[in-house]
Amino acid sequence: MISGSDYLQLLPKTELHCHFASTLTAPLFIELAAKYGVELWADNADELFAFDDLADFLVAFRAAHDVLREPDDFARVAREGVRHAVAAGNLRYREYFINPQYFAARGLSYADVIDPLIAGLRQAERDYGVGFRVVVAINRQESPESAVELVRQVVAHGAPEVVGIGQDDLTPEGTEDPTRFVAAYRLAREHGLKLTAHVGETDNATPDAVREAIEVLECDRLDHGYRIMDDPSLVRLALTRGIAFTATPVSTTICSGWVLDPSHRIRAMIDAGLKVTLSTDDALFFRTDLGREYREGLTLLGVDMDAAKQIAINGIDAAFCSEDEKARMRAEFTAQFLALDTLRVA
Ligand SMILES: [Zn+2]
């Protein structure tokens, strides 16, 4: 028999909200920083990633992109990141946010970033059976015009693994303001790309950003979106449209200052019947992994094992991959649930 904690650790999982640079492991991050002479603000993982708030984290997040400089770095991070996530939480499928604009200043083209990243993830898929897709994230520090140009690059490059666009970081004013990028979203939709956006995340965010992402940007799913619980009409709208949410419990304790307990908005979203999935967001920086999000996050939220299984299945339903791939994953997850349930402590 296994404990509830082991059961949650071993559940097969998808992850739909994960920033590629944050799939770096701490040893590889430190190794690459030394290789390129990037001075870090501390020399051990505990101090390196001891953040107090979202602003501190974003400074470190931007710095992390500085250690990815050669195409092989992307392939290596991709391979090692998948291996780590399989060991840490039985990852079976993952979608990655990547923004090639971060690397353009170092002379890396869109293809210089995307091609080795996909090659590394393909190798990891052969090694561990972990499927993947890529979502190009608009950095909200950049202009609306540059976001349109980024979507043009995605379309021109045409990699079938790149299936959508999202948006991350905050605007230069420190706001979410999702509709700033409406032209880029329209263009992406015209070309058949899927749409998502980070909204309703922080303590000063409003439900309005969630509404704008649904009604103006016409997003297929939303990242975070916790402020939806502040407006019951929005909950009804998301239920009607079948909008899924990529919730990240551990990061909310740092970026939003919220305590993980049954009064948390993520628990309220689950209880309201919203299609909630679980992710790490930035595993390296928040010192988390997918196993911990289920093991600690769901336990502290007071979610039971059957709800945990439903959350894992929600991650398949909300993925941006093909229906064939989803059907294969549902069968695999169902088989693993059967095997795990025989070991479950009553
Ligand atoms: Zn994120």
Side-chain angles (χ1 to χ4, degrees):
M1 303 302 262
I2 56 173
S3 67
S5 174
D6 288 345
Y7 184 89
L8 291 170
Q9 170 91 10
L10 291 170
L11 268 190
K13 302 175 187 71
T14 67
E15 176 164 42
L16 305 180
H17 181 163
C18 142
H19 298 270
F20 180 75
S22 304
T23 70
L24 268 163
T25 59
L28 185 54
F29 178 51
I30 292 166
E31 179 192 323
L32 289 173
K35 175 180 170 187
Y36 293 121
V38 174
E39 200 167 319
L40 298 179
W41 48 96
D43 57 10
N44 66 77
D46 281 343
E47 281 179 55
L48 268 177
F49 309 122
F51 304 115
D52 289 331
D53 58 30
L54 179 61
D56 276 358
F57 154 69
L58 286 172
V59 170
F61 179 73
R62 290 167 200 142
H65 290 75
D66 212 19
V67 307
L68 302 176
R69 298 198 183 184
E70 295 172 1
D72 189 54
D73 298 335
F74 293 90
R76 190 170 163 206
V77 170
R79 292 192 309 270
E80 294 190 19
V82 171
R83 183 181 188 283
H84 178 72
V86 170
N90 198 9
L91 177 73
R92 306 311 303 146
Y93 174 89
R94 187 148 76 176
E95 293 182 3
Y96 298 83
F97 287 119
I98 179 86
N99 185 336
Q101 290 172 313
Y102 280 112
F103 308 102
R106 295 208 172 274
L108 293 174
S109 69
Y110 179 88
D112 288 339
V113 173
I114 294 292
D115 290 346
L117 183 152
I118 288 173
L121 292 173
R122 280 273 170 237
Q123 183 62 50
E125 186 173 25
R126 287 191 290 276
D127 291 344
Y128 306 109
V130 176
F132 73 94
R133 291 293 189 278
V134 175
V135 176
V136 168
I138 293 163
N139 178 353
R140 282 189 280 222
Q141 294 277 309
E142 305 285 342
S143 69
E145 294 74 26
S146 77
V148 170
E149 179 52 35
L150 182 60
V151 174
R152 289 203 182 104
Q153 285 184 321
V154 173
V155 172
H157 183 261
E161 295 88 349
V162 180
V163 291
I165 64 162
Q167 50 183 277
D168 63 11
D169 209 315
L170 294 170
T171 67
E173 298 81 39
T175 60
E176 291 182 335
D177 194 12
T179 58
R180 180 184 294 225
F181 302 102
V182 65
Y185 273 63
R186 286 221 178 99
L187 182 64
R189 180 169 286 290
E190 282 167 22
H191 287 277
L193 292 165
K194 295 284 193 179
L195 308 177
T196 184
H198 284 50
V199 284
E201 175 183 10
T202 59
D203 212 31
N204 62 2
T206 66
D208 296 344
V210 178
R211 181 179 297 283
E212 288 168 358
I214 297 174
E215 292 191 329
V216 181
L217 298 183
E218 299 185 67
C219 285
D220 298 285
R221 73 176 188 232
L222 296 178
D223 303 301
H224 306 297
Y226 315 122
R227 286 283 165 189
I228 191 169
M229 296 317 298
D230 300 7
D231 182 344
S233 71
L234 266 180
V235 174
R236 289 193 292 277
L237 179 66
L239 286 170
T240 302
R241 296 206 185 184
I243 303 277
F245 295 82
T246 65
T248 63
V250 171
S251 82
T252 68
T253 66
I254 296 161
C255 295
S256 307
W258 295 341
V259 176
L260 281 171
D261 66 21
S263 71
H264 196 290
R265 283 182 176 79
I266 294 174
R267 170 67 190 273
M269 290 166 77
I270 294 167
D271 290 349
L274 292 169
K275 200 175 268 293
V276 171
T277 71
L278 280 200
S279 295
T280 59
D281 202 351
D282 293 286
L284 172 69
F285 302 106
F286 299 136
R287 288 179 288 170
T288 186
D289 55 56
L290 205 48
R292 183 181 172 205
E293 298 289 343
Y294 275 71
R295 223 174 43 239
E296 288 183 29
L298 290 186
T299 302
L300 291 169
L301 292 171
V303 172
D304 68 21
M305 299 299 170
D306 288 332
K309 285 194 283 190
Q310 184 58 51
I311 286 168
I313 292 290
N314 288 348
I316 300 174
D317 296 344
F320 289 162
C321 62
S322 70
E323 289 304 321
D324 279 356
E325 219 168 324
K326 290 186 187 187
R328 277 196 300 277
M329 275 197 282
R330 283 193 198 96
E332 187 204 339
F333 279 36
T334 301
Q336 290 203 30
F337 292 164
L338 274 174
L340 280 167
D341 282 344
T342 64
L343 295 173
R344 191 162 141 192
V345 177

